[in-house]
Amino acid sequence: MNLEAVVLSGSGCGSTDAYGVGVLKALAEGAPPTTDGVFEPSIYSGAAFGAFNAAVMTADPGGGTAATVRRLEQAWLDGLCSTAGQPNGVYRIRCSPMTLLDPRSWIDSPASTVVDTAKDVAFLTSDFIARVRAKLSPSGSAGIGERIADMLTATPFFDMSPLRAHLRAFVDLARVRSSAKTLMVNATDWERGIGRIFTNADMTDAQGHDILQASAAYLVMFPFVDIGGRPFGGGPGSLATPLRPVVETFGPRTDRLTVHTVYIHPPMAQIPLGNMPGMLTGTGRYFDMVESLNVRADVEYGPGQEPAPTSGSRANVTIHRYRPSTPIVDWFRIIEFDRTQTEAFIAQGYRDTRNHDCRAAGCTCPD
């Protein structure tokens, strides 16, 4: 039996994960290294918005890979992205000065602006009081300075209801559960400090969209998501490129496994140095390094998901690697989902894949 899989990296930075849409688009058109121009994967693995990409592809309604890729592109451009006259479909900033100081928001819908602002003030006040009580309670061993610092956070300002709405619109959980394709989503269990792989059966109506939101939760920016009583955050925090679970799970179970792996970051040695003395650029390089290296990180599998025993041989596994020809991650645009920029990411993924060369890309091809 031969299996074909796709691994879609997450960057935790804006709409860069749309690069994977361009890669899928080119492969669906039969670009090399597809076999005889046929591209119909049965396994999709992803982190962050790479998990969103994987979920949409797994929920394929039956029109074939090419048709599903077109729907995925529409989900990005007409759903998640912002334009000059439309806010992004991922988050809304509570009590945003850009909204409060924009005359159009008061002219076009004054009642809605007043109601939203009142709700935002109430939410932020309640959240702050709760954090003060939690951090200043007698329990806990942290010092007073650390407790006060922990009260300062950006996450309460991010309202994720737009993302929730678009997850419901574009990811049919019933189709994911009944799909013949395997879905593997990595999200980070923050309390335990390890990635967790969620599969089709985990995508229940009660928690399926929570899992996808958690995987896409950009740490220190977007809020954690409660899953099973524990806080989960962005998939890239533990496994930005969830390749290892695919190889561990399916390599021993098939005669041949071909994995198309989409990376968002360059290899470690090629990560731009940047201005190391600067705090933000230095932090950006740190994130790049972590997400480039953690492809080897350990993960937790759910009940019944444990990988089959393996002899350690990977002679039957082919790994094709796709990377941006020029760096696309810009940590100064960490929460930007501009449509024009997203179209450029998709176009670059498509172009890079059409020009793919296995030798130059370092693909693992046992043949």
Side-chain angles (χ1 to χ4, degrees), residues 287-347:
F287 285 143
D288 288 342
M289 291 164 58
V290 169
E291 294 183 6
S292 179
L293 288 175
N294 70 10
V295 67
R296 304 176 183 85
D298 290 330
V299 295
E300 177 189 32
Y301 297 91
Q305 300 175 10
E306 293 81 2
T310 175
S311 62
S313 173
R314 298 288 165 81
N316 65 328
V317 178
T318 296
I319 302 175
H320 295 293
R321 307 177 194 277
Y322 310 88
R323 297 182 188 271
S325 52
T326 57
I328 62 174
V329 174
D330 182 350
W331 294 105
F332 289 97
R333 307 170 79 170
I334 187 172
I335 55 174
E336 184 176 299
F337 290 84
D338 174 70
R339 175 171 176 145
T340 300
Q341 183 61 66
T342 304
E343 289 174 330
F345 291 147
I346 295 173

